[in-house]
Amino acid sequence: MSARSETRESLGFQHRHLLGIEGLSVAEIDFLLDLADGYVEVNRRADKKLGLLGGRTVINLFFEGSTRTRTSFELAAKRLGADVINMSIAWSSIKKGETLIDTAMTLNAMHPDVLIVRHPDSGAVKLLSEKVNCAVINAGDGSHEHPTQALLDALTIRRRRGALKGLLVAICGDVLHSRVARSNIYLLTTLGARVRVIAPPTLLPSRIERLGVEAFHDMRKGLEDCDIVMMLRLQSERMQGSYVPSVREYFRFFGLDHDKLKAAKPDALIMHPGPMNRGVEIDSELADDIDRSVIREQVEMGVAVRMACLDALTRSLQAAAEGEEAR
Ligand code: NCD
């Protein structure tokens, strides 16, 4: 076997883009998580800088607000040695009427290697990926997918529990508007976890069971015996009209507090993708309870997972370019 085909064989992830978790295999997800695991150690060292992406250009293109995801991708790319540009809607030409595709084509002409895109419309990132030559990572498109969030959640769980297979995971709250919920459902069910969704009927997509989950409208019943309790933010910015009677009422029935948590396993872990609405979907004290909450760890895992995704995609780009050359 030649050195080149050996590299191709050892590539665990051969996609050009990372647009979602749907359709990824167990092996591909495991490959990304294993790679990320190694980066966790790199991020804990004093010297965190690697040269793997030296000479590469990464553009963060955010059409929607973000704190942790954008900084996390920026740090990940910089720690791998790439040059990083951050573009946000506030000062881009979109405000001057340029379309999504025009912006993509303009950036494409500058030869970036990876575009990291967040957009308020489901499907917009895929559309953009079809128009450019570089790799595209979906950093959240509408209520569709947020693949790196699901991967970082999985890494957090895996490091705490060893494996995801057989775990009982409850995803609670605004499932209807949540790309985090959708990506997590795909990932968790693919890796063999059992998934429950818990929400008022107004905040659950119809026929959600088709995704292989069990639906509950009562927190105590849904949380019974769960190993992991994943809370979601009430996404008011995506709501037109009223989905819940009041925030106070919502917390009473669907907010996670010590009392409702008693239904879950005694050592159940609490997760939240952030940003948190304290006192709305989660009791503030519980969110900070270091014996139960792994919310800070999720943020730490985020950088490692994004390094792994950038690494895997650029390897895949490289292999494709070498393949072209050989032909
Ligand atoms: C999530 C998002 O933007 O989808 N946040 C994140 O990426 N950390 C969840 C949310 O906004 O509630």
Side-chain angles (χ1 to χ4, degrees), residues 55-326:
R56 301 275 190 181
T57 307
V58 173
I59 302 183
N60 259 328
L61 181 58
F62 278 60
F63 296 94
E64 206 182 69
S66 167
T67 317
R68 73 210 75 219
T69 306
R70 199 196 55 72
T71 29
S72 177
F73 267 116
E74 182 177 354
L75 269 181
K78 285 184 170 163
R79 286 186 184 166
L80 292 176
D83 292 321
V84 188
I85 305 282
N86 291 309
M87 287 198 54
S88 76
I89 187 80
W91 49 270
S92 79
S93 295
I94 299 280
K95 288 266 171 189
K96 298 180 195 157
E98 195 173 75
T99 66
L100 169 72
I101 300 306
D102 283 339
T103 306
M105 298 308 282
T106 304
L107 294 176
N108 191 48
M110 299 180 198
H111 299 292
D113 297 282
V114 187
L115 268 180
I116 297 160
V117 188
R118 169 169 285 194
H119 197 281
D121 297 334
S122 306
V125 181
K126 178 166 189 294
L127 184 69
L128 188 146
S129 75
E130 287 159 5
K131 310 284 178 197
V132 296
N133 308 109
C134 60
V136 174
I137 300 181
N138 181 5
D141 63 324
S143 51
H144 177 228
E145 279 231 41
H146 190 354
T148 56
Q149 179 69 44
L151 287 164
L152 75 88
D153 290 339
L155 185 62
T156 308
I157 301 173
R158 204 177 82 162
R159 287 174 64 97
R160 283 288 189 134
R161 291 287 185 264
L164 279 86
K165 202 176 166 82
L167 292 179
L168 186 54
V169 183
I171 304 179
C172 321
D174 188 357
V175 178
L176 182 66
H177 299 103
S178 179
R179 52 199 177 205
V180 174
R182 231 163 299 271
S183 288
N184 261 306
I185 290 172
Y186 291 132
L187 193 153
L188 293 164
T189 52
T190 303
L191 289 197
R194 283 197 294 145
V195 181
R196 291 178 179 172
V197 289
I198 314 174
T202 48
L203 292 178
L204 269 188
S206 59
R207 307 208 286 148
I208 182 88
E209 291 88 353
R210 278 185 311 172
L211 299 183
V213 302
E214 245 187 302
F216 290 80
H217 303 306
D218 181 287
M219 278 289 267
R220 285 185 187 80
K221 280 192 193 137
L223 288 178
E224 213 171 276
D225 287 330
C226 281
D227 298 281
I228 310 286
V229 184
M230 216 178 253
M231 299 308 298
L232 299 172
R233 183 175 64 90
L234 199 58
Q235 305 203 11
S236 325
E237 78 279 13
R238 297 192 206 285
M239 298 180 192
Q240 271 139 16
S242 155
Y243 285 78
V244 292
S246 74
V247 161
R248 203 202 256 185
E249 184 91 343
Y250 182 79
F251 182 73
R252 192 165 146 231
F253 290 103
F254 293 96
L256 187 68
D257 55 18
H258 282 283
D259 193 46
K260 295 189 196 83
L261 186 63
K262 281 185 195 143
K265 289 223 177 106
D267 62 348
L269 299 176
I270 301 170
M271 305 179 78
H272 193 303
M276 268 185 283
N277 288 315
R278 290 172 183 266
V280 178
E281 66 262 355
I282 188 163
D283 171 71
S284 190
E285 229 179 82
L286 200 52
D288 297 328
D289 182 344
I290 52 163
D291 294 326
R292 309 302 299 270
S293 161
V294 292
I295 297 172
R296 298 269 161 76
E297 238 166 272
Q298 288 174 268
V299 178
E300 183 188 2
M301 294 309 127
V303 181
V305 152
R306 285 162 183 135
M307 286 167 87
C309 294
L310 287 166
D311 177 357
L313 282 175
T314 41
R315 279 200 230 182
S316 168
L317 275 180
Q318 185 75 33
E322 281 170 10
E324 288 277 294
E325 238 170 62

Side-chain angles (χ1 to χ4, degrees), residues 5-49:
S5 55
E6 225 167 62
T7 338
R8 265 198 161 291
E9 291 293 324
S10 64
L11 268 177
F13 190 86
Q14 300 200 11
H15 300 271
R16 213 176 118 206
H17 309 297
L18 177 63
L19 301 175
I21 299 293
E22 189 181 12
L24 293 188
S25 66
V26 175
E28 287 168 331
I29 295 170
D30 280 343
F31 175 80
L32 291 174
L33 295 180
D34 291 344
L35 203 55
D37 227 353
Y39 285 124
V40 175
E41 306 318 315
V42 173
N43 287 331
R44 288 178 180 174
R45 300 198 305 234
D47 181 3
K48 304 168 183 62
K49 193 99 171 178

